[in-house]
């Protein structure tokens, strides 16, 4: 009887990992539809800072992994792209050359833009490269998104007042905005 219980336990254990691994992405047709519609959200799961001071601090912490990747999966950091609006809410880890001392919220990437241009292209492997040129923000120059066929994405932000940073994550369809009852 103990033998059967252990076999059943192993079977349940293996099936639970199978279910988790099957939720890793979306199909390529959905990815193509989202990128072509220019109505999707990028959700950041990890931040990859390039500043060695940040990396040295991260590796000097007790019980810290020896990687330079910060896990953001428990947070709601995103880039929401719509036809008429761009909402960016991403943390920043690195050197800021012109910090705002009074308002520390301006040291991360938190802004809404209504004046931006989007250019997109597809490479030979079928991955999308989406470049967003922000015109109404003085510090942000360009946001680059590389969207893979399975919905995973890599985002980098080029700014004129801080060192570059990149983020790993995935894209999803934007949620419908509810009109306020007036």
């Amino acid at each position: 009887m103990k033998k059967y219980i252990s076999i059943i336990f192993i079977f349940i254990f293996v099936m639970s990992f199978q279910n988790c691994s099957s939720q890793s992405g979306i199909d390529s047709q959905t990815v193509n539809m989202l990128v072509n519609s220019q109505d999707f959200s990028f959700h950041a799961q990890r931040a990859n800072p390039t500043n060695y001071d940040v990396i040295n601090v991260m590796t000097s912490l007790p019980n810290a992994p020896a990687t330079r990747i910060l896990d953001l999966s428990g947070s709601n950091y995103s880039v929401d792209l719509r036809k008429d609006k761009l909402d960016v809410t991403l943390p920043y880890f690195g050197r800021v050359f012109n910090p705002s001392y009074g308002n520390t919220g301006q040291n991360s990437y938190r802004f809404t833009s209504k004046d931006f241009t989007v250019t997109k292209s597809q490479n030979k492997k079928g991955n999308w490269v989406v470049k967003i040129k922000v015109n109404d923000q003085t510090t942000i120059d360009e946001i680059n998104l590389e969207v893979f066929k399975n919905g995973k994405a890599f985002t980098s932000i080029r700014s004129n007042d801080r060192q570059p940073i990149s983020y790993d994550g995935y894209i999803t369809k934007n949620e419908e905005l509810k009109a306020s009852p007036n």
Side-chain angles (χ1 to χ4, degrees):
M1 185 68 178
K2 289 182 181 181
K3 183 177 178 181
Y4 291 119
I5 292 175
S6 63
I7 290 173
I8 291 171
F9 179 72
I10 291 172
F11 178 74
I12 292 171
F13 183 74
V14 169
M15 290 306 289
S16 67
F17 277 114
Q18 179 68 24
N19 289 338
C20 292
S21 67
S22 66
Q23 299 171 356
S24 64
I26 55 178
D27 63 338
S28 62
Q29 293 174 344
T30 306
V31 171
N32 290 338
M33 181 197 67
L34 289 174
V35 173
N36 282 326
S37 70
Q38 294 183 13
D39 190 22
F40 63 88
S41 293
F42 165 78
H43 299 280
Q45 293 178 312
R46 290 175 294 280
N48 308 310
T50 58
N51 186 351
Y52 283 105
D53 293 336
V54 174
I55 295 168
N56 289 337
V57 168
M58 288 178 2
T59 57
S60 68
L61 295 173
N63 300 326
T67 62
R68 56 180 218 140
I69 298 173
L70 295 165
D71 185 27
L72 304 174
S73 59
S75 305
N76 192 18
Y77 295 117
S78 65
V79 175
D80 298 328
L81 176 65
R82 299 182 191 276
K83 291 196 182 287
D84 59 343
K85 188 166 78 167
L86 174 70
D87 284 324
V88 177
T89 306
L90 292 171
Y92 180 74
F93 306 98
R95 178 176 283 176
V96 178
F97 299 116
N98 296 320
S100 60
Y101 294 107
N103 188 358
T104 58
Q106 292 179 349
N107 293 333
S108 62
Y109 292 118
R110 294 180 192 274
F111 64 90
T112 300
S113 173
K114 293 191 181 242
D115 184 17
F116 59 92
T117 56
V118 178
T119 57
K120 56 185 185 273
S121 62
Q122 200 168 16
N123 63 14
K124 293 178 185 177
K125 294 182 180 181
N127 299 336
W128 285 95
V129 177
V130 179
K131 294 185 179 190
I132 304 169
K133 175 78 171 146
V134 182
N135 300 323
D136 59 354
Q137 296 292 319
T138 58
T139 59
I140 308 299
D141 184 34
E142 191 174 54
I143 300 172
N144 295 316
L145 283 102
E146 183 174 1
V147 181
F148 300 99
K149 290 188 281 187
N150 63 354
K152 300 290 183 184
F154 177 79
T155 300
S156 63
I157 298 180
R158 192 174 66 205
S159 179
N160 57 10
D161 72 336
R162 56 189 79 190
Q163 293 178 324
I165 188 169
S166 61
Y167 304 91
D168 295 327
Y170 60 94
I171 66 167
T172 61
K173 181 179 178 182
N174 278 334
E175 296 179 10
E176 295 294 324
L177 294 176
K178 295 181 180 177
S180 62
N182 286 341

